[in-house]
């Protein structure tokens, strides 16, 4: 008989969204357009030409959405601020109405007993800054620090946790290498420069958050554990490159003060020399590391797979989500223990975890059955508990996402929500996964069984 599952007493039970994916009204009340607004409005960039113009209409329905989160029993909520709502030109003039929205959100959360966890940059860069070179311009680190200072001075007395950036790897791989996300560039020469400036912005941002009195400051990365398809040396080497590129590219500089050696090999002549002093800015202890986990990858040597020469090997014995991501909960346990082994003791939060599956249409007044998402949630929370039992210092879990929302270039068809959103009417309907999550929260995990 195993003991029943019980998470630590003060464990945070949260859910996560980002501004452009849920808010809608992207230009309301004096907000400056973001690069994502432009990208989504460029023909051919998103599924069916879908945009974040309306999304979940959260900008106008925020109090109602916070009430839904309270019904779930959440004790924390992770959201991001749209930089361009706060600073329409990205620097300089503050837009009081834009900052006011987040001020009201924070108060609404606190009144519902939900701890606010704010991310400063979740991919929507002010278009005015994109026009000045965006992440390719070294000055962006100072622009970002000034933005952080403005926001933390206003909200820092009430926000429990601050993250500088969300998933810098996705910003650069999708935005600068493959062109599938804003700003849609395709250049291996730009990619490492954008990565480096993201890291510099993180470093200066962390200092700015602390100087302005922010309570806890950290960084959010996506980690996808890499497993070799065989013992063949070339598969092992390909897997190491894939791991360096995705999982160590940002964490090694932050925790260890330098890039993994494999990156120079991957980028070849496109890999620049970086000033040594930059690493004094980048390397700094975090109050917490946010880990976003969705899936793993099994790799084999495949020279044509650009840029790392590592092809993915499909695992037909396992379920895949509608993002085509393999469901493999054990990797969640493994990756948390890997972080501890490689980077030492830093408190962790699971800042995103969740699954997109097809959902049938909703019926008024009825809970929606989503057995695959229920299974994913249950199995990943069990895997998380195993990691904690094995010594991972995880302080909170944020389900992606409370609401179905705008899944970037994949548009609205990929539904990650615990609560269904009918995008034609904005009707919200609880799914069975929401009920399971509420039960888990209420019982500190006991509802997951043994
Ligand atoms: C992550 C993003 C988040 C969401 C999920 C599904 O990479 O941080 O905005 O799109 O994937």
């Amino acid at each position: 008989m195993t003991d029943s599952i019980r998470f630590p007493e003060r464990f945070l039970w949260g859910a996560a969204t980002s501004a452009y994916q849920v808010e809608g009204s992207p230009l309301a009340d004096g907000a400056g357009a973001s690069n994502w607004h432009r990208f989504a409005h460029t023909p051919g960039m998103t599924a069916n030409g879908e945009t974040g113009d309306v999304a979940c209409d959260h900008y106008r329905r925020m109090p109602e959405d916070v009430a839904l989160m309270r019904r779930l029993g959440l004790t924390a909520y992770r959201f991001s601020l749209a930089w361009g709502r706060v600073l329409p030109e990205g620097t300089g003039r503050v837009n009081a109405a834009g900052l006011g929205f987040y001020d009201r959100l924070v108060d609404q959360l606190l009144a519902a007993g939900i701890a606010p966890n704010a991310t400063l940059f979740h991919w929507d860069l002010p278009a005015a800054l994109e026009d000045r070179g965006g992440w390719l311009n070294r000055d962006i680190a100072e622009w970002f620090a000034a933005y952080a200072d403005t926001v933390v001075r206003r909200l820092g007395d009430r926000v429990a946790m601050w993250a500088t950036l969300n998933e810098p790897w996705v910003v650069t791989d999708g935005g600068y290498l493959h062109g599938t996300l804003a700003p849609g560039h395709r250049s291996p020469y730009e990619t490492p420069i954008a990565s480096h400036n993201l890291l510099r912005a993180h470093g200066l941002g962390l200092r700015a958050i602390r100087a302005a009195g922010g309570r806890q400051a950290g960084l959010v990365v996506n980690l996808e554990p890499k497993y070799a398809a065989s013992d063949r040396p070339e598969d092992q080497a390909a897997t190491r490159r894939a791991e360096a590129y995705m999982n160590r590219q940002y964490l090694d500089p932050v925790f260890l003060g330098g890039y993994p050696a494999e990156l120079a090999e991957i980028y070849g002549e496109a890999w620049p020399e970086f000033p040594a002093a930059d690493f004094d800015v980048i390397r700094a202890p975090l109050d917490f590391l946010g880990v976003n986990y969705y899936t793993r990858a099994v790799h084999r040597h495949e020279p044509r797979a650009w840029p790392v020469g590592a092809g993915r090997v499909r695992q037909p014995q396992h379920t895949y989500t509608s993002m085509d991501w393999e469901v493999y909960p054990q990797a969640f346990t493994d990756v948390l223990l890997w972080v501890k082994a490689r980077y030492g003791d830093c408190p962790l939060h699971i800042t995103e975890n969740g699954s997109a599956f097809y959902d049938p249409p909703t019926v008024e007044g009825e809970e929606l059955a989503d057995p695959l998402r229920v299974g994913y949630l249950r199995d990943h929370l069990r895997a998380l508990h195993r990691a904690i039992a094995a010594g991972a210092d995880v302080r909170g879990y944020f389900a992606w996402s409370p609401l179905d929302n705008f899944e970037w270039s994949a548009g609205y068809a990929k539904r990650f929500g615990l609560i269904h959103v009918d995008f034609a009417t904005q009707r919200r309907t609880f799914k069975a996964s929401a009920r399971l999550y509420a039960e888990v929260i209420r019982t500190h995990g006991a509802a997951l069984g043994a």
Side-chain angles (χ1 to χ4, degrees):
M1 238 308 282
T2 35
D3 292 342
S4 76
I5 292 178
R6 200 175 171 85
F7 281 80
E9 207 53 49
R10 301 180 60 184
F11 193 79
L12 289 181
W13 293 105
T17 64
S18 87
Y20 191 72
Q21 293 180 276
V22 299
E23 288 176 356
S25 309
L27 305 179
D29 302 330
S34 72
N35 63 346
W36 258 98
H37 176 74
R38 281 188 183 170
F39 185 78
H41 279 271
T42 303
M45 294 314 204
T46 64
N48 308 311
E50 288 164 356
T51 72
D53 284 2
V54 179
C56 306
D57 200 24
H58 173 72
Y59 187 73
R60 301 194 307 156
R61 293 166 193 263
M62 179 271 284
E64 175 195 324
D65 287 339
V66 173
L68 293 174
M69 294 181 210
R70 184 180 192 160
R71 227 177 106 192
L72 273 174
L74 299 188
T75 58
Y77 171 54
R78 173 174 179 245
F79 61 94
S80 79
L81 290 93
W83 186 338
R85 285 199 197 282
V86 179
L87 300 166
E89 289 89 37
T91 58
R93 185 177 60 86
V94 176
N95 175 32
L99 195 45
F101 169 72
Y102 299 108
D103 197 72
R104 289 196 306 280
L105 168 61
V106 164
D107 283 344
Q108 195 86 31
L109 290 167
L110 292 174
I114 300 172
N117 170 355
T119 297
L120 290 167
F121 176 72
H122 196 129
W123 305 1
D124 47 348
L125 188 73
L129 297 184
E130 194 68 71
D131 291 341
R132 295 163 74 183
W135 293 108
L136 300 173
N137 186 329
R138 265 183 81 85
D139 292 345
I140 199 165
E142 279 84 21
W143 303 337
F144 180 74
Y147 158 57
D149 175 73
T150 302
V151 172
V152 178
R153 269 179 207 288
R154 175 70 175 268
L155 307 178
D157 56 333
R158 287 157 290 152
V159 167
M161 303 164 61
W162 295 95
T164 51
L165 313 174
N166 178 71
E167 301 189 350
W169 180 82
V170 178
V171 175
T172 60
D173 183 75
Y176 289 87
L177 192 70
H178 294 292
T180 52
L181 302 173
H185 298 192
R186 285 176 55 88
S187 166
Y189 294 87
E190 291 182 357
T191 306
I193 296 170
S195 292
H196 192 69
N197 286 331
L198 277 154
L199 279 166
R200 291 179 50 251
H202 158 75
L204 290 188
L206 205 68
R207 289 181 187 174
I209 293 169
R210 288 177 175 149
R215 287 185 210 158
Q216 287 188 54
L219 169 70
V220 172
V221 294
N222 56 299
L223 297 179
E224 186 185 277
K226 306 297 188 184
Y227 301 80
S230 82
D231 293 340
R232 285 167 47 211
E234 55 270 44
D235 289 344
Q236 300 277 334
T239 304
R240 265 198 308 279
R241 286 193 304 275
E243 190 203 50
Y245 178 61
M246 194 158 171
N247 299 339
R248 287 188 265 123
Q249 180 166 193
Y250 298 90
L251 294 184
D252 275 16
V254 167
F255 286 103
L256 309 174
Y259 286 109
E262 291 90 343
L263 291 184
E265 189 189 333
I266 292 166
Y267 282 105
E269 67 166 52
W271 183 248
E273 277 281 333
F274 294 111
D278 287 355
F279 294 93
D280 300 337
V281 171
I282 295 169
R283 181 183 195 167
L286 307 177
D287 299 319
F288 70 92
L289 174 68
V291 174
N292 295 352
Y293 172 84
Y294 289 93
T295 188
R296 64 131 177 202
V298 178
H299 285 296
R300 73 168 158 239
H301 178 63
E302 211 174 283
R304 279 175 317 167
W306 187 69
V308 291
R312 285 169 179 267
V313 183
R314 213 177 162 79
Q315 304 297 307
Q317 75 280 22
H318 293 150
T319 305
Y320 280 69
T321 71
S322 61
M323 299 296 284
D324 211 19
W325 295 346
E326 183 191 353
V327 177
Y328 192 75
Q330 181 57 38
F332 192 20
T333 312
D334 294 351
V335 78
L336 295 171
L337 297 173
W338 172 82
V339 168
K340 182 181 163 80
R342 183 168 179 84
Y343 301 112
D345 288 318
C346 173
L348 305 178
H349 283 274
I350 308 309
T351 33
E352 290 179 28
N353 172 246
S355 57
F357 288 109
Y358 169 79
D359 290 320
T362 52
V363 179
E364 182 86 56
E366 277 182 26
E367 178 181 284
L368 185 148
D370 62 339
L372 292 170
R373 195 174 294 98
V374 163
Y376 184 100
L377 178 65
R378 186 196 53 224
D379 294 346
H380 283 77
L381 287 173
R382 286 177 176 164
L384 171 60
H385 189 262
R386 286 199 298 279
I388 294 172
D393 182 9
V394 184
R395 311 277 177 95
Y397 174 88
F398 294 77
W400 185 273
S401 180
L403 301 171
D404 291 334
N405 61 49
F406 177 70
E407 180 46 33
W408 307 111
S409 39
Y412 291 99
K414 309 294 183 203
R415 293 181 174 273
F416 278 91
L418 301 174
I419 299 170
H420 181 275
V421 176
D422 179 331
F423 292 105
T425 63
Q426 291 295 337
R427 189 176 72 198
R428 275 84 163 128
T429 303
F430 273 56
K431 304 183 191 179
S433 53
R435 185 160 46 87
L436 170 65
Y437 195 41
E439 270 303 290
V440 168
I441 296 172
R442 201 178 56 75
T443 61
H444 297 279
L448 294 165

